[in-house]
Amino acid sequence: MTEPAPSLIAGFLRCARRHPSANALWVDERMYDYAELLARAAGIAGTLRREAPAGPLRCALLVERSVTAYAAVLGTLLAGMTYVPLNARFPMQRNLRMLELSSAAALVVDQRCLDAARELLQAHASPLLVLMPDSDSLPAWAAGACQHTYILKTQMAPSGAPELAPPAGAPVYILFTSGSTGLPKGVAVSHANASAYVASIIARYQPEPNDRFTQFFDFTFDLSVHDIFVCLGAGACLYCVPARAIMMPLKFVQEHELTFWFSVPALAATLKRYNVMRPGILPSLKWSLFCGEALPTSLVQDWQRAAPHSTIDNLYGPTEATIACTVYRYQAGDARIDALPVVPIGLPLPGQETIILDERHEPVAEGAVGELYLGGSQLALGYWDNEELTEQRFLDLEFPGKRAPRWYRSGDLARVDAQAGLLYCGRIDKQVKIRGYRVEMQEVEALIRRLGGSDLVAVVPWPIAADGSVQGLLAFGWGFTVASAEILRGCTLHLPAYMVPQDVIGLQKMPFNSNGKIDYPALQRMARDGVAEAA
């Protein structure tokens, strides 16, 4: 008999039933126990089951840092549906595209996102089931979006005993990342993928019910999956850091005596730049986990002094390999590691595999740099409704001594160090990380071509910090038909803030290399030297 597919929410349900009165979630200055959080999730699940058509469905979430936001994630899974996170801070056109690409049948909107929902629902022609668990009355703008069915607070299903619907092979979530074609691409992750990751992390760190986790990430960032399901799957308490404290969270961590920290390195770097990361300032932390971008060794040294009782792990992995698939444990005082520019990314988590290949898909020589390929139980299903791209990035390959039959080509350069494991050596393409978010510069170029009426467009990372981290983008073009200010205005309407170039520079002549291609290194030098000649 075939084993039923694992459900990512199973750990939370188990803890809620065993310890219903234990603290589960701190958000908006209030603590919710497991029973309260489960009741809210069950109400959303019951409503989705009652109102949504039968079959494997997607439910989009336009929610932000509220108890309804977390209940929506859990309730969608409890109903056996796939959740698709949107982001109220993204331009409406981007959210609309994500909603359309996912073919979502339902949308959950919390009180904070009602304004963002107005434009989105008026623009989305296909009828949606719209749940508004926080709203007592229909907003006036709904008259202009009457193609949708609205369910208000008083119309929600009662939060009775929850019944877990089987996943039925559907993705657990679809996360949209930056795409090189100018459109976001959706990564479809299965319950089995995510459950394998959560099980590995819980086994590695052994969180207990009295542990208290940070929660910094938006739901459109897959590191939020770690926060929610590792914490709630272990019976611990998740602390949603208030928006006012996101960039300066030290006092919050101190007041609540949090024990698990998980963030992108950029947040720690911000604290360091403001000179607030003093020795011993974070005594309660037991674990400090970093992921999402390269972790500078100079930064981790300062963090170790700030959190002296904390063990520091550097996690690595793209969304396509489910949150993180390798890990390196930093040891203070290791002169060999401290001499490196960034902390190693280490060794694979249990059940995961890595291999470094050349352009012919052959393993590179020992210690040589090549492209990092990832395999194992966390490898995503592929790109949602995009077989061509899935076939390009997920390859069926076999290697002696490796069990994985399918591999994801990460686009990251790496080499193997005999002692430290994998060393990260940069990107093989033009993809960069800005504030922890993955950005493909080709997507920004595609938009600027359209907005500027020119095919000769190039985007380069700029400025670049001393530790090598990318702080923003700079765009160049030759032959624009509209003013640079108009192009920038258009970028703000279609791109998240972290993808909007700091400037768009019209050139009198585009530099080309000997192959007749745009000379990106020359543009990077122009950005560095500040000698770009505007048209």
Side-chain angles (χ1 to χ4, degrees):
M1 185 175 178
T2 305
E3 286 285 323
S7 175
L8 181 58
I9 198 177
F12 164 71
L13 289 177
R14 183 172 58 250
C15 293
R17 287 164 179 160
R18 288 180 180 174
H19 309 289
S21 61
N23 291 339
L25 174 68
W26 188 100
V27 62
D28 287 336
E29 307 293 333
R30 182 185 161 185
M31 182 67 75
Y32 296 86
D33 63 27
Y34 274 83
E36 291 175 292
L37 186 55
L38 178 56
R40 288 175 178 264
I44 290 173
T47 306
L48 289 171
R49 284 204 195 99
R50 184 188 70 196
E51 303 288 343
L57 298 173
R58 274 78 59 200
C59 179
L61 310 179
L62 187 58
V63 292
E64 185 176 358
R65 309 189 80 74
S66 65
V67 65
T68 297
Y70 296 92
V73 170
L74 299 168
T76 300
L77 299 189
L78 197 59
M81 298 176 71
T82 300
Y83 79 88
V84 183
L86 308 180
N87 194 317
R89 289 189 294 277
F90 284 2
M92 186 279 291
Q93 288 292 337
R94 190 173 184 86
N95 279 325
L96 179 62
R97 187 61 181 163
M98 291 156 62
L99 191 57
E100 291 172 343
L101 288 172
S102 70
S103 300
L107 174 70
V108 180
V109 183
D110 68 5
Q111 192 69 30
R112 285 195 176 99
C113 297
L114 285 176
D115 288 342
R118 175 180 59 81
E119 251 191 309
L120 181 65
L121 289 172
Q122 289 174 349
H124 192 268
S126 301
L128 285 171
L129 172 67
V130 182
L131 275 60
M132 295 180 167
D134 301 335
S135 301
D136 293 310
S137 59
L138 205 58
W141 56 253
C146 57
Q147 69 271 35
H148 308 300
T149 300
Y150 297 91
I151 305 294
L152 300 173
K153 183 177 182 179
T154 56
Q155 300 167 315
M156 296 287 291
S159 53
E163 179 183 339
L164 177 60
V172 60
Y173 57 79
I174 300 172
L175 286 184
F176 283 88
T177 64
S178 178
S180 59
T181 62
L183 298 174
K185 57 181 184 290
V187 181
V189 174
S190 73
H191 279 267
N193 298 149
S195 295
Y197 172 81
V198 169
S200 287
I201 294 299
I202 289 178
R204 181 177 179 88
Y205 301 111
Q206 297 287 308
E208 300 173 345
N210 61 351
D211 277 311
R212 296 169 295 281
F213 283 62
T214 60
Q215 209 284 298
F216 293 108
F217 305 111
D218 292 331
F219 291 170
T220 44
F221 200 167
D222 68 337
L223 301 189
S224 66
V225 178
H226 168 111
D227 291 340
I228 297 169
F229 293 100
V230 171
C231 177
L232 299 182
C237 187
L238 188 63
Y239 281 75
C240 177
V241 181
R244 66 178 184 278
I246 285 276
M247 297 309 294
M248 283 290 158
L250 297 186
K251 185 178 178 182
F252 182 84
V253 174
Q254 292 168 341
E255 287 179 350
H256 295 282
E257 297 184 321
L258 303 190
T259 58
F260 273 76
W261 171 286
F262 189 40
S263 81
V264 293
L267 178 53
T270 299
L271 298 173
K272 181 179 177 180
R273 283 197 293 270
Y274 280 103
N275 295 317
V276 296
M277 210 164 71
R278 297 187 300 274
I281 198 167
L282 295 170
S284 66
L285 291 180
K286 298 193 305 186
W287 295 100
S288 296
L289 312 181
F290 293 97
C291 192
E293 57 191 353
L295 176 60
T297 49
S298 58
L299 179 62
V300 81
Q301 291 165 14
D302 288 329
W303 186 268
Q304 185 69 87
R305 288 188 282 269
H309 310 304
S310 175
T311 300
I312 303 174
D313 270 7
N314 185 34
L315 292 154
Y316 159 85
T319 302
E320 290 84 349
T322 311
I323 309 168
C325 56
T326 74
V327 63
Y328 179 82
R329 178 152 299 166
Y330 176 75
Q331 300 290 337
D334 187 333
R336 185 171 173 274
I337 298 302
D338 287 343
L340 297 172
V342 295
V343 176
I345 57 177
L347 298 173
L349 291 172
Q352 314 316 307
E353 292 185 297
T354 61
I355 193 168
I356 299 175
L357 304 179
D358 60 20
E359 294 178 352
R360 301 182 304 277
H361 298 153
E362 296 290 336
V364 300
E366 186 176 349
V369 174
E371 184 174 3
L372 181 60
Y373 283 64
L374 311 170
S377 59
Q378 294 176 200
L379 212 59
L381 298 170
Y383 296 108
W384 180 253
D385 200 23
N386 194 333
E387 291 185 15
E388 181 179 356
L389 185 59
T390 299
E391 290 175 358
Q392 291 174 10
R393 305 298 295 181
F394 294 84
L395 306 181
D396 294 329
L397 300 169
E398 294 185 3
F399 302 101
K402 301 289 184 181
R403 298 185 303 276
R406 181 170 173 261
W407 297 82
Y408 172 70
R409 52 179 311 176
S410 70
D412 288 322
L413 295 170
R415 65 181 177 88
V416 173
D417 178 87
Q419 292 176 284
L422 292 165
L423 303 183
Y424 176 73
C425 302
R427 289 293 303 171
I428 201 170
D429 52 22
K430 295 194 300 172
Q431 192 179 89
V432 295
K433 284 284 185 75
I434 300 177
R435 300 200 298 274
Y437 288 92
R438 186 172 62 182
V439 176
E440 291 192 32
M441 289 183 284
Q442 296 97 319
E443 179 181 3
V444 185
E445 289 175 349
L447 177 62
I448 292 176
R449 287 190 195 100
R450 181 164 62 84
L451 295 172
S454 171
D455 290 328
L456 293 169
V457 172
V459 173
V460 298
W462 188 258
I464 299 174
D467 62 18
S469 63
V470 176
Q471 307 295 302
L473 302 175
L474 191 62
F476 296 90
W478 184 20
F480 287 139
T481 59
V482 299
S484 294
E486 285 296 311
I487 298 172
L488 268 178
R489 192 173 297 115
C491 287
T492 63
L493 294 175
H494 293 277
L495 298 172
Y498 60 84
M499 292 178 66
V500 175
Q502 300 198 19
D503 199 3
V504 176
I505 298 170
L507 299 174
Q508 293 182 356
K509 183 179 180 181
M510 179 70 75
F512 297 99
N513 63 22
S514 58
N515 294 323
K517 299 178 181 180
I518 293 175
D519 192 341
Y520 281 86
L523 291 173
Q524 196 76 60
R525 290 192 295 272
M526 292 166 67
R528 182 193 64 205
D529 298 334
V531 294
E533 186 178 4

